[in-house]
Amino acid sequence: MNSILSTLVNLISIISPVIIFGTCCYFLSKKPAVEAILMTIGSGIALLTTLFYSVLMPFLLGDRHLAYTDVSKYYTLIGIISFIASLCFAAGFLILVYNTVKKNKVIYDQFPKSID
């Protein structure tokens, strides 16, 4: 019972990556652009790394009794992969914000300025 409860508590950390990944997939389905692709790839890999940290690593540590050096190798590798995923998501988000601001600037420039 205690292991089931601790597993459920660990799964709470998965809620926000799932929501972000679902939102990125929806955005990609509505507008297949570079920013949507980058954000979906980044959020998908981030979801996988969150699953690794919260589900797989406690299982490996509890059942396999891995040595500290092996565990640190896994954490280092998944940290590098997570960093690359974060860069992909950030680049896609930056492109999205830039395109949105640029589009709004064009709309504001269409109206004549007030002389008052």
Side-chain angles (χ1 to χ4, degrees), residues 49-98:
T49 57
T50 303
L51 286 171
F52 179 80
Y53 280 131
S54 60
V55 176
L56 190 60
M57 276 313 286
F59 172 73
L60 289 176
L61 291 174
D63 291 346
R64 304 284 175 142
H65 304 292
L66 293 175
Y68 177 73
T69 55
D70 294 335
V71 172
S72 66
K73 288 177 187 175
Y74 287 129
Y75 276 121
T76 302
L77 178 66
I78 208 69
I80 292 169
I81 292 171
S82 177
F83 176 71
I84 293 169
S86 298
L87 284 178
C88 284
F89 184 83
F93 188 69
L94 181 66
I95 294 169
L96 175 67
V97 168
Y98 179 76

Side-chain angles (χ1 to χ4, degrees), residues 94-107:
L94 181 66
I95 294 169
L96 175 67
V97 168
Y98 179 76
N99 289 340
T100 304
V101 169
K102 187 174 72 172
K103 188 182 297 181
N104 287 341
K105 186 178 179 182
V106 170
I107 291 172

